[in-house]
Amino acid sequence: MYLIYFDETKFEEKNPYFFIGGILIKDKLISDIEKEIMKIQYNFFGNTLLNIENELHGKLIFQGKGVYKKRKLPERLKLFEDVADILIRYKIPIRLVCIDVNAHRRRYKYPAEEYGWGLQLILERFAGFLDKNNDIGIVFGDY
């Protein structure tokens, strides 16, 4: 069985692309992956207690904002590399959907709302993966 987590970006006029993506993790790997993420968190923040102050948000890490504001770029890049290393070593499948919201709105008289359409597309990609691997999964997300 796979545990599947997805998250999305919010549409903004200055960045007119809606992204929704997720990872699919085999249930037997969850404990090992969690331990490795906790090590990364400890090495970066000095603790393993997950809270809003040390949640790994790619946008904030990349831009050096929020709790990452006082961290130098090489430190933030190392954080990305450490997480990417886990994805690669464990061969964690990733599925992504990108919608050009403005192009979609121009093309159709009654365009689908991007979140609902993106959610439908990402769930189809998850289902396709599970079908191909003859397995089952449970999906978690936040909104």
Side-chain angles (χ1 to χ4, degrees):
M1 179 165 96
Y2 282 86
L3 299 174
I4 305 164
Y5 176 76
F6 73 88
D7 203 355
E8 78 288 335
T9 62
K10 306 297 184 261
F11 170 75
E12 300 173 345
E13 287 298 327
K14 64 183 179 179
N15 182 16
Y17 297 94
F18 175 79
F19 288 92
I20 186 166
I23 58 174
L24 300 96
I25 302 176
K26 195 74 173 152
D27 59 342
K28 65 184 178 184
L29 297 176
I30 291 292
S31 181
D32 293 338
I33 292 170
E34 181 182 28
K35 286 176 189 168
E36 292 207 36
I37 294 288
M38 295 286 248
K39 284 181 200 174
I40 291 170
Q41 182 182 338
Y42 183 80
N43 290 339
F44 196 83
F45 290 108
N47 68 59
T48 59
L49 179 65
L50 181 61
N51 61 44
I52 198 156
E53 295 298 317
N54 58 16
E55 190 174 359
L56 302 177
H57 278 283
K59 182 176 179 179
L60 297 178
I61 297 168
F62 180 77
Q63 294 176 345
K65 293 184 177 179
V67 296
Y68 304 98
K69 187 175 188 173
K70 295 180 181 175
R71 297 300 187 97
K72 297 194 181 304
L73 181 60
E75 290 179 275
R76 299 191 327 262
L77 288 175
K78 172 83 167 84
L79 184 57
F80 274 122
E81 289 171 2
D82 291 346
V83 173
D85 179 63
I86 291 172
L87 294 169
I88 293 165
R89 274 189 296 112
Y90 285 95
K91 299 178 180 168
I92 297 173
I94 299 170
R95 296 295 180 268
L96 295 170
V97 168
C98 174
I99 299 171
D100 181 335
V101 177
N102 291 333
H104 176 68
R105 289 177 180 173
R106 283 190 306 268
R107 184 172 183 176
Y108 298 100
K109 187 172 184 174
Y110 302 106
E113 183 272 327
E114 59 271 2
Y115 181 83
W117 188 34
L119 181 60
Q120 178 183 344
L121 292 171
I122 198 71
L123 292 174
E124 287 175 1
R125 284 173 174 72
F126 295 152
F129 174 88
L130 294 171
D131 285 346
K132 182 178 178 183
N133 289 279
N134 195 31
D135 213 330
I136 61 172
I138 185 167
V139 179
F140 300 89
D142 65 355
Y143 178 66

